Amino acid sequence: MSDKSYQIKENNQVMIQGGEKKVMKKILSVALSTAMAFSMFASVAFGDDALNTQQKYDVLKEAKIFSGYPDGSAGLDKEMTRAEFAKVLVGIMGLEPIQGKASFKDKNYKASKWPAPYVEAVYSAGLMQGKNTTKMIFDFNGKITVQEMAKVLVVAQKLEIPTETNNNASDWAKGYVQAAINAGLVDAKANPKANATRAQLVEVAYDIYLSQQKPKVVSYEVKEDGKVVEFKLANNEVVKVTLETPLKANTATEVKFTHNNYDYTESVTWVVTAATKIDSVSATNYKEVVVKFDGEVEAKTAENEDNYKVTGVTFESAKLSADKRAVTLLVAQNSQQNLPEQKDAKLEIKGVKNSDGSKTFNETVTFRAVDTQLPQVTEVKGLGTKAFKVVFSEPVKSTTASNISNYKIDGQAVSGWVKFTYPNVAFITTNIAVGEHTLSLQGVEDYAGLKVSPVDVKFTVAEDTTAPEVVSVKTKDLTKVEVEFNESVKSVDKVYHTSSAKTADKVEIKDNVVVLTFETESKRLSVGENTIYLEGVRDYSDNSANREAKVTPVLDTERPTVNGVDVEVKADKTLLTLNFSEEVNAQDIKNRDNFVLKNSKGEVVTDKGFNKGKPVTEPTWAKNKQNQDVYSRVVIESIGKLPAGKYTLEVANIRDRAAIGNTMVPQTLSFEVTNTDELKLVRAWYDASDRDDLYIDIQFNRAVATSGNGSALDINKYSYVTVTNNVYKVFPTKNAPQPTLRNADTVRLTIPKADFENYATELKNAEIRVTNVADQNGNYLSAQQTEIKDSVEISVKSAKATAANKVSVEFDGNITSVVSSDFKFAGISGVAGEPTFSDGKTTVVFTLNADLPKALGNLTTEDTTQSTDYLGHKVAPKQSVTIKDGIAPKATGASTVTGSVYVDVVFNEDVEVYYTPDAFKVYVAGSPAKVKGATLLSGSTNTARIWLEEAIPAQAKAQVSIPSGKSIVDTEGNAAEEVYETIQFK
């Protein structure tokens, strides 16, 4: 068969009339018909290659163009009769069969027989004349050849008959066949005298039939990110449609287009299996957040609740929907706070991957939790004759759901008890008869304080005499098994696998699912098939039985990855928190060699708690709000704040917690340090000196936002808590203006005294509460409180000696005017240097007129002080603050004894020694010696002894090198100055 395709245009239309009656309804383009007819004989491919001949026959049979044989077969291998050809011609050419007429005199040719209407139609249309026009013999049961059909179609097309021919047709047909050959419609090698088969006719007829129809859209393909749709038509044409507005993923959209004068309206869905974006974040109650994606996300990262964060809120679970496109976050029952009520909040999403791993979501989305719906009862189910279960539409308060007086059966109080399973299921244990009952329920509250409407729900109790049966069992690696039962499970006495010694470390019952954890290494599941034994599986009718289930674990083979680095500055250190895609190995994260920090120039960081880029302080787990370790988040601490700038952190060799640990591919992570702590409240005070208004000033540790969701200039973000009964109250705001700024970091509330006459009583020892305020970089304040005072004095926060004659003083406020005479240091005066400001605090270094005593002493302020902040608040008088030791130990010499395998380094004060291989170096004649370890010299408090594998040759030139860091510290934890001493021989 030729693989050449032909594009045939509809150039003209021919109407053929015959006899006394117009028999043609319509004629499709004869050129098209001719070409398609001959294409079959030339073995040229036309039509829809996706269908085979039998399928094409089925289409034509459905259109009543073909009929099968009495036995139901298509007879495709049989040769075609002239009557069969006539019938097909009528169907595909749109002719009307002529009933009640028999023009030919063939034997058995009658008007009542099936061929007659079709033969009469093609005869009247002038398409077929019969085998013997004199005797009027049509030969309807005779076979039709290729050359006979060629003549019919060439004459209809009015093709020019050539004078020169080169084919094997009969003499009368040579011109017709040659015309077809010249037109490229018939293969010159074809045998024109051969009879055509029904299969050949099906192929021809199918293509002609299609050309008469409006080609249907059989498929489409969305391209270019939803901007282009390519429609494939039934005739194999492809129509490209460019859209003005790109399609929305996974949403049916009506697309209209016109092609060849046909109008099409097609419903198109751009099926995106893997999510490309977050569609929405919503909360219709104060305990659940729903995150919807436009496609599927990976279960492993989507169901890790540590990948989601709302300030002040702890999530206890993240549940992925069955279609893998939505995650429901459940706030922990004991979370410090619920979702912010009817206020904008930010949900931080980190490390959630889509289903094919092509995208990781690291975004912050603003949402607002609004609960206006009453909780509903969605299910009441009898659990035999000793208990029933009630399911609510949303999380409800345990105190109300567990109150047995809120439940009545058939109008009678329930005698029993309630076991509440957070967030929304109550199991009521009570004796209850078989039959239909009515549960009356009231008083159950959700977390918005909305109570369920008093409701009567009918339910049926049937006697339950069968213990729970296992429905399914699945594993998560070798440590966790979930066993699903056919009913709610009340308790399980004992669980183990393989042998009774391999008991589950933890058993959790969640309605009808029992979750088993085998965390202890010796108790983990084997790689092959395991038998899980559950003894004493009891339902709420106290039916109990031993059950077992076989399961073959599915091993975790996915490597962990680092999804990002969070940077946080706290006090005098920078915290780098690495967010892994899954829980990782504790040994690996404690190995400092797995982390290398570099600055923007690509140089390893050698200070601030990093030795050759490696952290000096052992990395630790991050903590959640319950102070529990989070095994997917690793914290690296600096010693002192890292300078602001861009950094990279190289991370390698970290394994996950899978039974057979998967090791990460080394990653280089880029991040920036901006040295900004969390926005915090510094202080609050009120000023009642004005006759009409009360001023309340709230100072933050840095400049606050004045617009957007985090604006500090919204009086509704401020409330106060009375000390007497610990009640939250709002300020009277009816006549109050919006807050103003006294300074970039200080907000003033103005409250008319007429609206707040009892302010002195109300605000005595009260605390101000601030929520949803951000700094100018969008860092939000978690809900915080601080005492409202009636006056302000700036205190000295700390004093640290950095040298014998220098003391660094930190003030709890922005001191803009420092008077040196206000301060004494162990009775010694000093001169204040230029103040520096950071996060609402001021640091001033004083150079003293004499050295401090060895005991250092105290910093004191005078009885009357003059130093002030920018608002005129003075430094508090009569303060006494202990001067802490911040002076770094210093090496005074290094020595060894000839033939000994050690080097002693003496310091100017007592020290402690912590050996790390990279820190202690000894060089002999310029080459490094092998160091075995380092300890504090026995019997000494200020000498570090470094142990070598071999003694230093006598009188060899040798040096000892120890970088500044936590390897050697004094008793106050001050890191020693860098050591580089020539070793003396004794």
Side-chain angles (χ1 to χ4, degrees), residues 34 178 250 257 265 502 509 578 594 611 622 681 776 849 874 884 896 954:
T34 306
Q178 196 62 49
N250 302 310
F257 65 96
T265 300
K502 296 186 176 183
I509 299 176
L578 283 65
N594 291 337
N611 182 10
L681 287 177
Q776 293 180 348
N849 297 332
K874 292 185 177 182
K884 294 182 178 180
T896 189

Side-chain angles (χ1 to χ4, degrees), residues 51 86 100 122 131 210 230 247 322 340 348 366 410 420 505 535 565 568 588 705 738 756 906 946 971:
L51 299 183
V122 297
K131 279 293 188 74
L210 277 188
E230 290 186 355
L247 295 171
E348 187 179 355
T366 300
D410 302 326
F420 178 69
D505 295 311
E535 295 183 357
V565 180
E568 186 177 11
D588 294 347
Q738 285 299 324
F756 201 19
V906 181
I946 303 172
T971 54

Side-chain angles (χ1 to χ4, degrees), residues 36 145 172 195 213 287 451 455 500 679 735 743 761 842:
M36 287 193 170
T145 63
W172 67 264
N195 293 335
Q213 313 302 310
K287 281 289 190 179
K451 294 183 179 180
V455 63
S500 59
L679 183 64
N735 300 307
N743 192 275
T761 303
T842 305

Side-chain angles (χ1 to χ4, degrees), residues 200-315:
Q200 289 176 315
L201 180 56
V202 165
E203 296 289 343
V204 175
Y206 179 77
D207 289 324
I208 296 176
Y209 170 75
L210 277 188
S211 69
Q212 294 183 81
Q213 313 302 310
K214 170 185 174 181
K216 292 183 179 180
V217 172
V218 294
S219 64
Y220 60 82
E221 184 177 0
V222 180
K223 296 184 175 182
E224 299 181 27
D225 292 329
K227 298 176 183 177
V228 171
V229 184
E230 290 186 355
F231 293 94
K232 183 179 180 182
L233 305 184
N235 60 1
N236 268 353
E237 285 189 275
V238 175
V239 182
K240 181 178 179 180
V241 178
T242 301
L243 306 175
E244 292 182 3
T245 303
L247 295 171
K248 185 177 180 181
N250 302 310
T251 302
T253 304
E254 201 173 72
V255 175
K256 297 181 178 182
F257 65 96
T258 300
H259 179 65
N260 287 343
N261 296 319
Y262 289 120
D263 292 327
Y264 292 83
T265 300
E266 299 293 327
S267 179
V268 175
T269 300
W270 179 26
V271 178
V272 179
T273 304
T276 63
K277 66 178 182 179
I278 298 170
D279 266 346
S280 66
V281 175
S282 60
T284 58
N285 62 70
Y286 300 137
K287 281 289 190 179
E288 292 176 311
V289 180
V290 179
V291 184
K292 291 185 178 180
F293 298 85
D294 70 344
E296 295 179 3
V297 290
E298 177 197 65
K300 188 173 184 178
T301 54
E303 293 192 325
N304 182 352
E305 62 270 14
D306 295 323
N307 288 338
Y308 309 87
K309 180 181 178 182
V310 173
T311 302
V313 174
T314 301
F315 293 114

Side-chain angles (χ1 to χ4, degrees), residues 337-358:
Q337 65 184 62
N338 297 325
L339 298 173
E341 299 181 12
Q342 301 186 40
K343 294 180 180 179
D344 285 347
K346 291 185 180 292
L347 175 66
E348 187 179 355
I349 302 169
K350 287 197 171 182
V352 176
K353 295 181 179 181
N354 65 0
S355 57
D356 64 7
S358 62

